[in-house]
Amino acid sequence: MLQNIMTHHRAANNQLVHTATMCPFWLVCLGMIVSATLGRDMVPSGKTVIHVCPSIEQVQSDTVSQIHEAETLHHAQEILRSLRSSGVTGHVVIELCSSVAHTHYNVLDIDERDTSLHGDTIIRGQTAKDGAVIDSGMVLRGWIVNNTTGLWEAPLPAGAASRQLWINGVRAPRAHANPEECSGGPPVSPSLCTKTLKQGTITPTGYNDVPDPQTNITASPLAQWLPGAEFVYGKGASGASWTEPRCTVASVAPGSKPGLVNIIMEQPCWQRAIGKAQNQRVTFPSDIENSLALLTEPMEWYADFAPGKKIYYMPRPEDDIKTVSAILGSVPTGGQGEAIRVAASAHRVTFASLVFHYQTWMFPSSPTGFVDLQSGFYSQAGSGRLHGVPGALSMHGTKNARVYNCTFQHLGLSGFLADAGAQNITVDASTFHDISGSAVLLGNVSDPIQSAEQQDGPFTIISNTIENIAVEYHGCAGICAGYVANTDIVHNQLTNTSNGAICLGWGWGANNTMHNNRVNYNHIVRSNTELYDCGSIYTLSSQPNSEVAYNYIENQVLRFGSLYHDARSAHFHTHHNVVVGGPMWLYLQWGPLGPVDNILVENNYHNQTVAGGCATPQHADTCQATGFCPTKYSPCGNVTIQNNTVVDGDTWPAEAVAIEHQAGPLPQHNLL
């Protein structure tokens, strides 16, 4: 990092500007906290503290006016509401000790009864270094070895249902097989390959007349093991390479003649999956998950969550049945997977030094399945609205809130979500790791035009460390922002995202109220590791006075551009970015949904010479890189590409090196 830390501010023309002396606008209200640990210094003098830990050290009497003790977080909320209803309008701190995990099997709903217009409500860990754990995991005990199969078996806790298992803190994959490999194992051979499926016919109910080695349906291997398995449609298994739908097999029935079977898929998942628009329908699965017949590799697992059933695990050589830590994620009662949910009526809420882990989301296992459109957004039955994968911490319409120094890890859903008119929300100095969905989800994607009251934003997402994201729902982005305004996504580190790292905007040209958005000073490494047709930084639609600048992007894995302005992106200034490697350094959409317009791309540095779309007048580079050479496309709009530097070799210009050093989390935050 640079010795002289550079900061930012919005100048009179609202551009984000470097300065060595002025404090950035999004740190003005945080500055006193940024310079100190989030321990006792964050308890304002003369305020009320509710302890959630009998052994917690006492707060000095000169800093707190009242001290209360609570057994659990929900008990602390009861005390908080009693205080608020009795007229306490000042700051109230709920302080959770960090020495024990706070088990959390019921969603905590925060609303106007918990907050005040005149004082903050702060829920925080006791110390900044060791956050208080909000733990929804179910610990598995009673493992035994099945001497016939070699598998470990254990009884399931009452009410258990999960899509994730962690063994000694590492996510274990569900039993699965690539149907191209035709692999299988005990207790029966799957006998199902893509080539076998393709001999059948896709119908409104599933796959008809799929060859099966048995003429008697009651003895059919497919009928024995396939119901309940989940078909995954990624890696070319659907017409939309940026999505990965999932549908469950309902049953297997006799086909039109002996030796053939019909695979019946769950509805409405299947109808949605084959009925997607613009030739995005699914075909044949790229992966099959969740069957005991597929449990063939070390560290894989399978569970039948019916009452009285078991979980099965194939151990690794290093696993010790006597000491193994095996934890299932769970859904806190009352929600979709959220541990804490903040309502629109709540305001002035801060969450600090908390650890969210082992929450899960079971919706994809329902008959509706998971049929995503883009960035993990999907529709629910009977609703035309699109929904993002829920967050362990979710805010719906909340005003004036902060998430600081929190950790989101080992999650079967997203980390943080804010939508439905959420405004003045800051997420800073937090860590996101091993997450099934997105790290951060902002804004809605169903309503492009919003009133000032309902407009999502301002948001500030700053100085966060984000790694191994969308590990299950591969179409999700690291940070995804829909129809947002006045949003700054700055100084974050993003590493290993299955799809795009930062996706900003929605609508493919729809009239909208997005404006004044910034994606600046981020360090991005290895985005698009699983799916393609996205980018390390990806935008959609018109967003006046918006900027993509001073980002350092390394080694995007799959196409397209590391800097990717998609359909009808407009009014972006994209400058002073450094792009290292990747399939394309720049892609400006020229497709049938509409080209980009009013895009200025200048003063960038890159060592990958391939660009695509409107970034190449003859389109030759795009054809060479993708083999996709359409003859009729809308003309490009007002695009200017100038003063960009191609770097040949290992020696980069001094300005490019300075951008590298400035990108990523701010040291002020890292010192906490």
Side-chain angles (χ1 to χ4, degrees), residues 430-435 438-440 461 463-469 477-479 489 492-497 501-502 523 525 665:
S430 293
T431 299
F432 300 80
H433 171 70
D434 182 27
I435 294 177
S438 293
V440 177
I461 312 301
S463 209
N464 300 287
T465 300
I466 297 170
E467 184 176 14
N468 297 333
I469 304 301
I479 300 174
I489 302 171
N492 300 287
Q493 173 75 44
L494 297 99
T495 305
N496 292 335
T497 57
I502 300 174
H523 184 193
V525 181

Side-chain angles (χ1 to χ4, degrees), residues 183-476:
S183 59
V188 293
S189 174
S191 302
L192 181 68
C193 310
T194 298
K195 63 182 181 182
T196 306
L197 268 178
K198 288 182 178 179
Q199 295 178 47
T201 303
I202 296 176
T203 74
T205 60
Y207 302 91
N208 281 6
D209 288 343
V210 175
D212 187 277
Q214 294 290 335
T215 58
N216 185 347
I217 189 65
T218 60
S220 163
L222 295 184
Q224 291 181 44
W225 73 267
L226 197 53
E230 188 171 280
F231 282 8
V232 183
Y233 299 91
K235 300 180 178 67
S238 78
S241 59
W242 57 94
T243 69
E244 192 177 78
R246 293 168 172 265
C247 289
T248 300
V249 176
S251 62
V252 176
S256 62
K257 61 182 181 180
L260 301 176
V261 296
N262 296 338
I263 299 174
I264 313 301
M265 303 298 292
E266 290 280 10
Q267 302 287 7
C269 184
W270 182 246
Q271 282 293 332
R272 294 183 176 194
I274 65 172
K276 292 182 73 176
Q278 300 177 28
N279 298 317
Q280 298 177 18
R281 61 177 293 175
V282 303
T283 54
F284 301 95
S286 58
D287 206 350
I288 303 174
E289 296 183 359
N290 196 44
S291 173
L292 184 59
L294 304 176
L295 185 47
T296 61
E297 297 294 331
M299 208 180 182
E300 291 184 348
W301 67 282
Y302 167 77
D304 183 344
F305 289 105
K309 297 295 185 178
K310 298 178 180 179
I311 185 169
Y312 303 87
Y313 173 70
M314 179 170 283
R316 300 165 296 179
E318 63 267 30
D319 290 329
D320 185 340
I321 198 169
K322 296 179 181 179
T323 61
V324 68
S325 168
I327 300 176
L328 284 172
S330 72
V331 178
T333 302
Q336 295 188 72
E338 309 97 325
I340 299 178
R341 188 168 51 198
V342 188
S345 57
H347 24 248
R348 297 188 63 169
V349 184
T350 294
F351 300 91
S353 299
L354 301 177
V355 179
F356 295 85
H357 67 186
Y358 302 134
Q359 287 84 37
T360 190
W361 180 53
M362 292 303 295
F363 184 84
S365 297
S366 73
T368 305
F370 181 70
V371 182
D372 51 330
L373 176 66
Q374 179 154 315
S375 298
F377 282 89
Y378 68 100
S379 61
Q380 297 181 355
S383 170
R385 296 186 65 81
L386 293 172
H387 302 264
V389 176
L393 173 58
S394 293
M395 299 182 181
H396 305 295
T398 309
K399 308 292 191 292
N400 304 312
R402 185 184 182 200
V403 179
Y404 175 74
N405 194 43
C406 290
T407 297
F408 298 81
Q409 66 181 7
H410 308 328
L411 296 176
L413 63 170
S414 294
F416 174 77
L417 179 149
D419 63 6
Q423 297 178 355
N424 297 314
I425 309 295
T426 296
V427 180
D428 61 318
S430 293
T431 299
F432 300 80
H433 171 70
D434 182 27
I435 294 177
S436 291
S438 293
V440 177
L441 269 176
L442 306 173
N444 91 93
V445 298
S446 297
D447 301 314
I449 298 178
Q450 296 286 340
S451 66
E453 178 64 23
Q454 287 298 312
Q455 176 66 59
D456 287 298
F459 295 112
T460 300
I461 312 301
I462 176 176
S463 209
N464 300 287
T465 300
I466 297 170
E467 184 176 14
N468 297 333
I469 304 301
V471 297
E472 182 175 2
Y473 308 115
H474 291 149
C476 293

Side-chain angles (χ1 to χ4, degrees), residues 20 41 52 73 110 123 137 191 234 517 520 573:
D41 294 337
V52 188
L73 182 55
I110 296 176
I123 301 177
S191 302
N517 297 318
N520 293 354
H573 187 193

Side-chain angles (χ1 to χ4, degrees), residues 521-537:
Y521 296 99
N522 299 286
H523 184 193
I524 300 172
V525 181
R526 297 190 78 252
S527 76
N528 299 89
T529 61
E530 294 289 337
L531 301 181
Y532 71 91
D533 200 355
C534 198
S536 297
I537 299 175

Side-chain angles (χ1 to χ4, degrees), residues 39-93:
R40 297 299 176 203
D41 294 337
M42 197 168 179
V43 181
S45 61
K47 308 309 181 232
T48 302
V49 171
I50 304 170
H51 293 161
V52 188
C53 186
S55 61
I56 197 168
E57 63 183 79
Q58 293 298 305
V59 179
Q60 296 180 4
S61 59
D62 60 345
T63 65
V64 177
S65 58
Q66 297 184 57
I67 300 174
H68 302 266
E69 299 290 342
E71 294 297 322
T72 66
L73 182 55
H74 284 85
H75 183 203
Q77 184 183 45
E78 294 175 5
I79 297 172
L80 169 64
R81 289 182 171 179
S82 177
L83 291 169
R84 292 299 191 200
S85 65
S86 67
V88 175
T89 60
H91 302 306
V92 178
V93 178

